[in-house]
mmCIF file of all heavy atoms in Angstrom:
data_model
loop_
_atom_site.group_PDB
_atom_site.id
_atom_site.type_symbol
_atom_site.label_atom_id
_atom_site.label_comp_id
_atom_site.label_asym_id
_atom_site.label_seq_id
_atom_site.Cartn_x
_atom_site.Cartn_y
_atom_site.Cartn_z
ATOM 1 N N ALA A 371 -28.078 62.265 45.598
ATOM 2 C CA ALA A 371 -27.094 61.946 44.563
ATOM 3 C C ALA A 371 -25.912 62.911 44.616
ATOM 4 O O ALA A 371 -24.755 62.506 44.439
ATOM 5 C CB ALA A 371 -27.752 61.967 43.194
ATOM 6 N N ALA A 372 -26.189 64.190 44.843
ATOM 7 C CA ALA A 372 -25.105 65.172 44.941
ATOM 8 C C ALA A 372 -24.218 64.857 46.138
ATOM 9 O O ALA A 372 -22.979 64.963 46.061
ATOM 10 C CB ALA A 372 -25.693 66.575 45.061
ATOM 11 N N LYS A 373 -24.841 64.450 47.245
ATOM 12 C CA LYS A 373 -24.062 64.093 48.430
ATOM 13 C C LYS A 373 -23.206 62.864 48.168
ATOM 14 O O LYS A 373 -22.035 62.811 48.564
ATOM 15 C CB LYS A 373 -25.006 63.846 49.602
ATOM 16 C CG LYS A 373 -24.292 63.467 50.894
ATOM 17 C CD LYS A 373 -25.278 63.093 51.988
ATOM 18 C CE LYS A 373 -24.540 62.571 53.212
ATOM 19 N NZ LYS A 373 -25.479 62.067 54.252
ATOM 20 N N ARG A 374 -23.783 61.863 47.518
ATOM 21 C CA ARG A 374 -23.039 60.645 47.196
ATOM 22 C C ARG A 374 -21.825 60.960 46.328
ATOM 23 O O ARG A 374 -20.715 60.497 46.593
ATOM 24 C CB ARG A 374 -23.961 59.648 46.474
ATOM 25 C CG ARG A 374 -23.269 58.582 45.648
ATOM 26 C CD ARG A 374 -22.448 57.627 46.484
ATOM 27 N NE ARG A 374 -21.827 56.600 45.633
ATOM 28 C CZ ARG A 374 -21.004 55.677 46.085
ATOM 29 N NH1 ARG A 374 -20.673 55.626 47.357
ATOM 30 N NH2 ARG A 374 -20.484 54.777 45.256
ATOM 31 N N MET A 375 -22.040 61.725 45.273
ATOM 32 C CA MET A 375 -20.946 62.088 44.364
ATOM 33 C C MET A 375 -19.821 62.770 45.129
ATOM 34 O O MET A 375 -18.654 62.370 45.040
ATOM 35 C CB MET A 375 -21.480 62.990 43.261
ATOM 36 C CG MET A 375 -20.420 63.647 42.386
ATOM 37 S SD MET A 375 -19.516 62.513 41.312
ATOM 38 C CE MET A 375 -20.743 62.240 40.030
ATOM 39 N N LYS A 376 -20.155 63.798 45.898
ATOM 40 C CA LYS A 376 -19.126 64.551 46.603
ATOM 41 C C LYS A 376 -18.431 63.689 47.654
ATOM 42 O O LYS A 376 -17.207 63.741 47.810
ATOM 43 C CB LYS A 376 -19.738 65.779 47.270
ATOM 44 C CG LYS A 376 -18.715 66.681 47.944
ATOM 45 C CD LYS A 376 -19.345 67.956 48.479
ATOM 46 C CE LYS A 376 -18.297 68.861 49.120
ATOM 47 N NZ LYS A 376 -18.902 70.106 49.672
ATOM 48 N N SER A 377 -19.215 62.855 48.336
ATOM 49 C CA SER A 377 -18.656 62.047 49.415
ATOM 50 C C SER A 377 -17.621 61.051 48.906
ATOM 51 O O SER A 377 -16.483 61.015 49.381
ATOM 52 C CB SER A 377 -19.794 61.308 50.128
ATOM 53 O OG SER A 377 -19.281 60.399 51.082
ATOM 54 N N VAL A 378 -18.005 60.230 47.913
ATOM 55 C CA VAL A 378 -17.118 59.139 47.508
ATOM 56 C C VAL A 378 -15.941 59.640 46.679
ATOM 57 O O VAL A 378 -14.805 59.164 46.842
ATOM 58 C CB VAL A 378 -17.912 58.038 46.766
ATOM 59 C CG1 VAL A 378 -18.341 58.481 45.379
ATOM 60 C CG2 VAL A 378 -17.112 56.745 46.709
ATOM 61 N N VAL A 379 -16.171 60.612 45.788
ATOM 62 C CA VAL A 379 -15.072 61.088 44.945
ATOM 63 C C VAL A 379 -14.075 61.894 45.771
ATOM 64 O O VAL A 379 -12.854 61.732 45.617
ATOM 65 C CB VAL A 379 -15.609 61.912 43.759
ATOM 66 C CG1 VAL A 379 -14.452 62.472 42.926
ATOM 67 C CG2 VAL A 379 -16.515 61.048 42.885
ATOM 68 N N SER A 380 -14.562 62.734 46.652
ATOM 69 C CA SER A 380 -13.657 63.536 47.481
ATOM 70 C C SER A 380 -12.881 62.660 48.456
ATOM 71 O O SER A 380 -11.704 62.903 48.727
ATOM 72 C CB SER A 380 -14.449 64.598 48.253
ATOM 73 O OG SER A 380 -15.102 65.474 47.379
ATOM 74 N N ARG A 381 -13.557 61.629 48.988
ATOM 75 C CA ARG A 381 -12.896 60.760 49.963
ATOM 76 C C ARG A 381 -11.677 60.072 49.361
ATOM 77 O O ARG A 381 -10.640 59.920 50.021
ATOM 78 C CB ARG A 381 -13.879 59.709 50.478
ATOM 79 C CG ARG A 381 -13.308 58.843 51.598
ATOM 80 C CD ARG A 381 -14.319 57.827 52.087
ATOM 81 N NE ARG A 381 -13.906 57.219 53.337
ATOM 82 C CZ ARG A 381 -14.169 57.704 54.538
ATOM 83 N NH1 ARG A 381 -14.862 58.826 54.645
ATOM 84 N NH2 ARG A 381 -13.741 57.090 55.629
ATOM 85 N N TYR A 382 -11.786 59.660 48.109
ATOM 86 C CA TYR A 382 -10.706 58.893 47.494
ATOM 87 C C TYR A 382 -9.918 59.705 46.462
ATOM 88 O O TYR A 382 -9.221 59.130 45.623
ATOM 89 C CB TYR A 382 -11.271 57.615 46.872
ATOM 90 C CG TYR A 382 -11.884 56.694 47.906
ATOM 91 C CD1 TYR A 382 -13.229 56.351 47.862
ATOM 92 C CD2 TYR A 382 -11.112 56.201 48.961
ATOM 93 C CE1 TYR A 382 -13.789 55.518 48.825
ATOM 94 C CE2 TYR A 382 -11.657 55.375 49.931
ATOM 95 C CZ TYR A 382 -12.996 55.042 49.864
ATOM 96 O OH TYR A 382 -13.544 54.223 50.821
ATOM 97 N N LYS A 383 -10.030 61.018 46.546
ATOM 98 C CA LYS A 383 -9.284 61.887 45.633
ATOM 99 C C LYS A 383 -7.790 61.604 45.742
ATOM 100 O O LYS A 383 -7.221 61.535 46.837
ATOM 101 C CB LYS A 383 -9.562 63.358 45.952
ATOM 102 C CG LYS A 383 -8.861 64.330 45.008
ATOM 103 C CD LYS A 383 -9.227 65.773 45.327
ATOM 104 C CE LYS A 383 -8.550 66.724 44.352
ATOM 105 N NZ LYS A 383 -8.922 68.150 44.616
ATOM 106 N N GLY A 384 -7.163 61.403 44.600
ATOM 107 C CA GLY A 384 -5.732 61.146 44.567
ATOM 108 C C GLY A 384 -5.337 59.717 44.882
ATOM 109 O O GLY A 384 -4.147 59.385 44.840
ATOM 110 N N GLU A 385 -6.316 58.850 45.173
ATOM 111 C CA GLU A 385 -6.015 57.475 45.577
ATOM 112 C C GLU A 385 -6.294 56.450 44.474
ATOM 113 O O GLU A 385 -5.815 55.317 44.559
ATOM 114 C CB GLU A 385 -6.863 57.095 46.801
ATOM 115 C CG GLU A 385 -6.798 58.070 47.957
ATOM 116 C CD GLU A 385 -5.489 58.006 48.721
ATOM 117 O OE1 GLU A 385 -4.710 57.065 48.475
ATOM 118 O OE2 GLU A 385 -5.245 58.885 49.559
ATOM 119 N N LEU A 386 -7.051 56.832 43.463
ATOM 120 C CA LEU A 386 -7.519 55.873 42.461
ATOM 121 C C LEU A 386 -7.002 56.249 41.075
ATOM 122 O O LEU A 386 -6.769 57.427 40.787
ATOM 123 C CB LEU A 386 -9.048 55.832 42.427
ATOM 124 C CG LEU A 386 -9.763 55.584 43.756
ATOM 125 C CD1 LEU A 386 -11.271 55.664 43.567
ATOM 126 C CD2 LEU A 386 -9.363 54.239 44.345
ATOM 127 N N ILE A 387 -6.863 55.230 40.212
ATOM 128 C CA ILE A 387 -6.431 55.496 38.837
ATOM 129 C C ILE A 387 -7.610 55.719 37.905
ATOM 130 O O ILE A 387 -7.433 56.188 36.783
ATOM 131 C CB ILE A 387 -5.554 54.353 38.295
ATOM 132 C CG1 ILE A 387 -6.327 53.022 38.265
ATOM 133 C CG2 ILE A 387 -4.275 54.232 39.105
ATOM 134 C CD1 ILE A 387 -5.598 51.906 37.551
ATOM 135 N N ALA A 388 -8.823 55.386 38.357
ATOM 136 C CA ALA A 388 -9.992 55.484 37.474
ATOM 137 C C ALA A 388 -11.265 55.466 38.298
ATOM 138 O O ALA A 388 -11.275 55.044 39.462
ATOM 139 C CB ALA A 388 -10.013 54.326 36.476
ATOM 140 N N TRP A 389 -12.359 55.929 37.662
ATOM 141 C CA TRP A 389 -13.708 55.778 38.208
ATOM 142 C C TRP A 389 -14.635 55.286 37.111
ATOM 143 O O TRP A 389 -14.586 55.788 35.983
ATOM 144 C CB TRP A 389 -14.255 57.105 38.724
ATOM 145 C CG TRP A 389 -14.047 57.395 40.173
ATOM 146 C CD1 TRP A 389 -13.316 58.418 40.709
ATOM 147 C CD2 TRP A 389 -14.607 56.677 41.287
ATOM 148 N NE1 TRP A 389 -13.361 58.378 42.078
ATOM 149 C CE2 TRP A 389 -14.153 57.326 42.462
ATOM 150 C CE3 TRP A 389 -15.429 55.560 41.410
ATOM 151 C CZ2 TRP A 389 -14.500 56.874 43.732
ATOM 152 C CZ3 TRP A 389 -15.781 55.114 42.675
ATOM 153 C CH2 TRP A 389 -15.322 55.774 43.826
ATOM 154 N N ASP A 390 -15.472 54.311 37.424
ATOM 155 C CA ASP A 390 -16.649 54.029 36.608
ATOM 156 C C ASP A 390 -17.722 54.990 37.102
ATOM 157 O O ASP A 390 -18.266 54.815 38.203
ATOM 158 C CB ASP A 390 -17.103 52.581 36.787
ATOM 159 C CG ASP A 390 -16.090 51.589 36.222
ATOM 160 O OD1 ASP A 390 -15.419 51.934 35.231
ATOM 161 O OD2 ASP A 390 -15.968 50.482 36.779
ATOM 162 N N VAL A 391 -18.014 56.003 36.290
ATOM 163 C CA VAL A 391 -18.858 57.099 36.765
ATOM 164 C C VAL A 391 -20.329 56.705 36.771
ATOM 165 O O VAL A 391 -21.021 56.802 37.786
ATOM 166 C CB VAL A 391 -18.639 58.367 35.921
ATOM 167 C CG1 VAL A 391 -19.565 59.491 36.393
ATOM 168 C CG2 VAL A 391 -17.182 58.810 36.011
ATOM 169 N N MET A 392 -20.833 56.278 35.627
ATOM 170 C CA MET A 392 -22.241 55.905 35.499
ATOM 171 C C MET A 392 -22.278 54.503 34.903
ATOM 172 O O MET A 392 -22.160 54.323 33.695
ATOM 173 C CB MET A 392 -22.983 56.893 34.621
ATOM 174 C CG MET A 392 -24.488 56.737 34.639
ATOM 175 S SD MET A 392 -25.260 57.195 36.203
ATOM 176 C CE MET A 392 -25.357 58.975 36.038
ATOM 177 N N ASN A 393 -22.441 53.523 35.759
ATOM 178 C CA ASN A 393 -22.309 52.132 35.345
ATOM 179 C C ASN A 393 -23.516 51.671 34.537
ATOM 180 O O ASN A 393 -24.657 51.910 34.922
ATOM 181 C CB ASN A 393 -22.145 51.258 36.598
ATOM 182 C CG ASN A 393 -21.529 49.917 36.321
ATOM 183 O OD1 ASN A 393 -20.539 49.819 35.598
ATOM 184 N ND2 ASN A 393 -22.093 48.878 36.900
ATOM 185 N N GLU A 394 -23.245 50.979 33.413
ATOM 186 C CA GLU A 394 -24.279 50.382 32.559
ATOM 187 C C GLU A 394 -25.309 51.412 32.096
ATOM 188 O O GLU A 394 -26.512 51.205 32.139
ATOM 189 C CB GLU A 394 -24.914 49.197 33.295
ATOM 190 C CG GLU A 394 -23.882 48.120 33.588
ATOM 191 C CD GLU A 394 -24.417 46.944 34.397
ATOM 192 O OE1 GLU A 394 -25.591 46.956 34.763
ATOM 193 O OE2 GLU A 394 -23.628 46.004 34.640
ATOM 194 N N ASN A 395 -24.772 52.510 31.602
ATOM 195 C CA ASN A 395 -25.542 53.677 31.219
ATOM 196 C C ASN A 395 -26.253 53.529 29.875
ATOM 197 O O ASN A 395 -27.086 54.367 29.514
ATOM 198 C CB ASN A 395 -24.573 54.873 31.170
ATOM 199 C CG ASN A 395 -25.262 56.200 31.146
ATOM 200 O OD1 ASN A 395 -24.707 57.157 30.649
ATOM 201 N ND2 ASN A 395 -26.469 56.284 31.674
ATOM 202 N N LEU A 396 -25.910 52.478 29.116
ATOM 203 C CA LEU A 396 -26.580 52.243 27.837
ATOM 204 C C LEU A 396 -27.799 51.335 28.006
ATOM 205 O O LEU A 396 -28.776 51.467 27.274
ATOM 206 C CB LEU A 396 -25.604 51.622 26.834
ATOM 207 C CG LEU A 396 -24.522 52.566 26.328
ATOM 208 C CD1 LEU A 396 -23.415 51.802 25.632
ATOM 209 C CD2 LEU A 396 -25.101 53.597 25.383
ATOM 210 N N HIS A 397 -27.735 50.430 28.960
ATOM 211 C CA HIS A 397 -28.854 49.520 29.186
ATOM 212 C C HIS A 397 -29.931 50.116 30.089
ATOM 213 O O HIS A 397 -31.102 49.754 29.988
ATOM 214 C CB HIS A 397 -28.356 48.213 29.822
ATOM 215 C CG HIS A 397 -27.708 47.287 28.856
ATOM 216 N ND1 HIS A 397 -26.359 47.274 28.619
ATOM 217 C CD2 HIS A 397 -28.240 46.343 28.045
ATOM 218 C CE1 HIS A 397 -26.079 46.356 27.718
ATOM 219 N NE2 HIS A 397 -27.199 45.770 27.345
ATOM 220 N N PHE A 398 -29.528 51.014 31.005
ATOM 221 C CA PHE A 398 -30.456 51.504 32.015
ATOM 222 C C PHE A 398 -30.424 53.032 32.084
ATOM 223 O O PHE A 398 -29.432 53.655 31.715
ATOM 224 C CB PHE A 398 -30.112 50.897 33.378
ATOM 225 C CG PHE A 398 -30.025 49.397 33.346
ATOM 226 C CD1 PHE A 398 -28.791 48.756 33.397
ATOM 227 C CD2 PHE A 398 -31.164 48.619 33.238
ATOM 228 C CE1 PHE A 398 -28.700 47.374 33.360
ATOM 229 C CE2 PHE A 398 -31.087 47.239 33.191
ATOM 230 C CZ PHE A 398 -29.859 46.609 33.247
ATOM 231 N N HIS A 399 -31.524 53.614 32.612
ATOM 232 C CA HIS A 399 -31.667 55.071 32.558
ATOM 233 C C HIS A 399 -32.321 55.619 33.819
ATOM 234 O O HIS A 399 -33.119 56.556 33.760
ATOM 235 C CB HIS A 399 -32.496 55.465 31.322
ATOM 236 C CG HIS A 399 -32.091 54.757 30.075
ATOM 237 N ND1 HIS A 399 -32.742 53.639 29.606
ATOM 238 C CD2 HIS A 399 -31.063 54.989 29.216
ATOM 239 C CE1 HIS A 399 -32.147 53.211 28.504
ATOM 240 N NE2 HIS A 399 -31.128 54.001 28.253
ATOM 241 N N PHE A 400 -31.973 55.037 34.973
ATOM 242 C CA PHE A 400 -32.606 55.455 36.216
ATOM 243 C C PHE A 400 -32.431 56.950 36.448
ATOM 244 O O PHE A 400 -33.391 57.667 36.761
ATOM 245 C CB PHE A 400 -32.016 54.668 37.392
ATOM 246 C CG PHE A 400 -32.573 55.056 38.734
ATOM 247 C CD1 PHE A 400 -33.786 54.554 39.157
ATOM 248 C CD2 PHE A 400 -31.875 55.916 39.578
ATOM 249 C CE1 PHE A 400 -34.308 54.912 40.392
ATOM 250 C CE2 PHE A 400 -32.385 56.277 40.812
ATOM 251 C CZ PHE A 400 -33.610 55.774 41.220
ATOM 252 N N TYR A 401 -31.209 57.445 36.286
ATOM 253 C CA TYR A 401 -30.940 58.851 36.595
ATOM 254 C C TYR A 401 -31.418 59.781 35.480
ATOM 255 O O TYR A 401 -31.860 60.894 35.748
ATOM 256 C CB TYR A 401 -29.453 59.047 36.910
ATOM 257 C CG TYR A 401 -29.086 58.370 38.201
ATOM 258 C CD1 TYR A 401 -28.554 57.092 38.213
ATOM 259 C CD2 TYR A 401 -29.310 58.990 39.418
ATOM 260 C CE1 TYR A 401 -28.245 56.448 39.404
ATOM 261 C CE2 TYR A 401 -29.008 58.359 40.622
ATOM 262 C CZ TYR A 401 -28.484 57.086 40.606
ATOM 263 O OH TYR A 401 -28.199 56.445 41.784
ATOM 264 N N GLU A 402 -31.344 59.338 34.241
ATOM 265 C CA GLU A 402 -31.892 60.152 33.158
ATOM 266 C C GLU A 402 -33.407 60.305 33.325
ATOM 267 O O GLU A 402 -33.968 61.376 33.089
ATOM 268 C CB GLU A 402 -31.589 59.516 31.802
ATOM 269 C CG GLU A 402 -30.145 59.636 31.354
ATOM 270 C CD GLU A 402 -29.279 58.520 31.911
ATOM 271 O OE1 GLU A 402 -29.741 57.806 32.838
ATOM 272 O OE2 GLU A 402 -28.152 58.359 31.433
ATOM 273 N N ASP A 403 -34.077 59.215 33.722
ATOM 274 C CA ASP A 403 -35.524 59.284 33.929
ATOM 275 C C ASP A 403 -35.883 60.248 35.050
ATOM 276 O O ASP A 403 -36.943 60.896 35.005
ATOM 277 C CB ASP A 403 -36.089 57.896 34.253
ATOM 278 C CG ASP A 403 -36.012 56.945 33.065
ATOM 279 O OD1 ASP A 403 -35.846 57.429 31.923
ATOM 280 O OD2 ASP A 403 -36.100 55.719 33.287
ATOM 281 N N LYS A 404 -35.020 60.361 36.045
ATOM 282 C CA LYS A 404 -35.298 61.246 37.181
ATOM 283 C C LYS A 404 -34.840 62.684 36.934
ATOM 284 O O LYS A 404 -35.518 63.633 37.327
ATOM 285 C CB LYS A 404 -34.595 60.709 38.434
ATOM 286 C CG LYS A 404 -34.971 59.284 38.821
ATOM 287 C CD LYS A 404 -36.394 59.179 39.307
ATOM 288 C CE LYS A 404 -36.696 57.763 39.793
ATOM 289 N NZ LYS A 404 -38.097 57.615 40.251
#
Side-chain angles (χ1 to χ4, degrees):
K373 180 186 174 186
R374 159 65 179 176
M375 170 69 77
K376 184 175 181 181
S377 173
V378 72
V379 177
S380 299
R381 185 179 193 88
Y382 297 119
K383 182 177 182 178
E385 308 286 349
L386 307 176
I387 61 171
W389 267 117
D390 293 328
V391 178
M392 191 69 82
N393 200 45
E394 298 176 359
N395 195 206
L396 289 166
H397 282 93
F398 307 106
H399 315 98
F400 178 81
Y401 292 95
E402 286 86 347
D403 292 342
K404 303 291 185 181

